[in-house]
Amino acid sequence: MKNNTDLAREQLEHLKENEDYKFNKLTFNEIILEQYDFFQEPKGHYDEIILNDYQQEDLLEAFKVVMTPYLPAQRILVVGLGNADFNADAIGPKIVGKMEITLDHLYLFIPRVKGQTGLESAEMVKSIVEKYQIDLVIAIDSLSAVQSDALYKTIQINDIGIRPGSGVGNYTTAIDEGYLGCKVIAIGIPCVIKVSNLINEFFKYVEGFFSENLQGGQNILKVVRKDPYQGELDEEKKQFLMGHLGTLQQEERYHLIEEIMNPINKNYVITSKDIDYRIEILSNMISICLMNILN
């Protein structure tokens, strides 16, 4: 996907609503559900739950709306993709690890990663699907985002499947209906962002910082400040205050940063310092939602 993002809402820059995709929005108090149907490849339906607050009851209601069209299914396999020993990649195994089998039609599987087993996750999942005649696979994995605001605050659910590791450049066999021969739902939570995307985002905040200052804002360099800087500059001010890089379009600047960082192996994939706390909360909440809906 563009700019190494896995999120639908970060793919819309060059698309037109009702021509390239259809959009719907629902709210559950502080939780927002955005629904996208893309008409171009990869065609499919994406639900993205935006968490402005961690409220279990509201998240469950949103999950029910999203999951109901795929159910019931006679045999369901829930797969926790990723590396449980590395928190930025552990959300899938942690969610599945918190679930319990209470009915005969539900199966749970944590395949680990190829570096640990020598086996591709998709191949192991396919063997289980064939042996137990699975009707529905729910694959859960970490995603990569373009904007840091999406980290741990978005849950994507789509019906086209997932390619483990693709968001950070590790290309493996896709876990999708074409490969497995059964319906696949992918649940992903953005837990990492590339340095190139973070640097690109920094320029947006620099522009907002200068814009607020020029509009007579108060002392905005406060340690306690939490809201991102807002506002835009005209081209002349961008050139004067931010130089040539500041005048580039976001996508142009991103590709330039990639050209600089990739050859010297400095385009790291990073996460936030509160990852342990975020992963624990989200894995608890999502596992509760899935147990409630699937059993």
Side-chain angles (χ1 to χ4, degrees), residues 104-127:
D104 291 339
H105 74 280
L106 181 63
Y107 303 82
L108 305 176
F109 180 51
I110 301 174
R112 307 179 74 185
V113 294
K114 188 175 182 179
Q116 295 172 315
T117 66
L119 301 171
E120 282 213 18
S121 298
E123 295 174 351
M124 290 187 280
V125 172
K126 186 173 184 177
S127 67

Side-chain angles (χ1 to χ4, degrees), residues 254-264:
Y254 166 78
H255 288 299
L256 175 59
I257 297 169
E258 286 263 299
E259 288 181 17
I260 295 170
M261 302 297 283
N262 286 340
I264 59 175

Side-chain angles (χ1 to χ4, degrees), residues 4-7 10 142-146 167-168 190-194:
N4 290 290
T5 180
D6 295 307
L7 299 180
E10 295 180 340
S142 301
L143 301 182
S144 177
V146 163
V168 293
C191 299
V192 296
I193 185 171
K194 292 175 68 175

Side-chain angles (χ1 to χ4, degrees), residues 33-186:
L33 171 58
E34 295 183 349
Q35 299 178 303
Y36 302 88
D37 286 288
F38 286 98
F39 307 143
Q40 300 178 355
E41 295 297 334
K43 296 180 181 179
H45 180 78
Y46 290 77
D47 292 288
E48 293 189 346
I49 301 171
I50 302 168
L51 304 169
N52 295 313
D53 195 4
Y54 291 144
Q55 291 294 328
Q56 182 69 63
E57 292 183 4
D58 296 335
L59 182 60
L60 177 57
E61 290 305 309
F63 255 87
K64 287 179 179 178
V65 170
V66 172
M67 297 294 292
T68 296
Y70 305 110
L71 300 171
Q74 289 185 335
R75 295 181 180 87
I76 301 171
L77 172 64
V78 185
V79 182
L81 300 167
N83 186 347
D85 298 325
F86 178 50
N87 265 351
D89 195 32
I91 189 72
K94 283 186 177 293
I95 290 172
V96 175
K98 294 176 185 295
M99 297 177 66
E100 297 179 358
I101 297 176
T102 57
L103 296 175
D104 291 339
H105 74 280
L106 181 63
Y107 303 82
L108 305 176
F109 180 51
I110 301 174
R112 307 179 74 185
V113 294
K114 188 175 182 179
Q116 295 172 315
T117 66
L119 301 171
E120 282 213 18
S121 298
E123 295 174 351
M124 290 187 280
V125 172
K126 186 173 184 177
S127 67
I128 295 173
V129 167
E130 293 173 347
K131 179 176 178 61
Y132 293 97
Q133 298 180 314
I134 300 296
D135 303 297
L136 173 65
V137 170
I138 300 175
I140 310 171
D141 200 3
S142 301
L143 301 182
S144 177
V146 163
Q147 300 293 332
S148 61
D149 288 345
L151 295 176
Y152 320 117
K153 295 182 180 179
T154 304
I155 302 169
Q156 183 194 93
I157 304 169
N158 73 60
D159 65 356
I160 68 169
I162 195 167
R163 189 182 296 271
S166 62
V168 293
N170 298 327
Y171 296 101
T172 58
T173 304
I175 296 177
D176 58 20
E177 186 171 357
Y179 181 72
L180 297 183
C182 69
K183 191 67 178 177
V184 176
I185 300 171

Side-chain angles (χ1 to χ4, degrees), residues 262-289:
N262 286 340
I264 59 175
N265 294 321
K266 298 297 183 182
N267 199 8
Y268 301 124
V269 178
I270 61 176
T271 189
S272 67
K273 62 184 180 180
D274 61 348
I275 182 172
D276 295 349
Y277 167 74
R278 300 290 183 181
I279 293 296
E280 187 64 24
I281 287 180
L282 285 171
S283 60
N284 281 334
M285 293 180 68
I286 295 172
S287 64
I288 289 172
C289 288

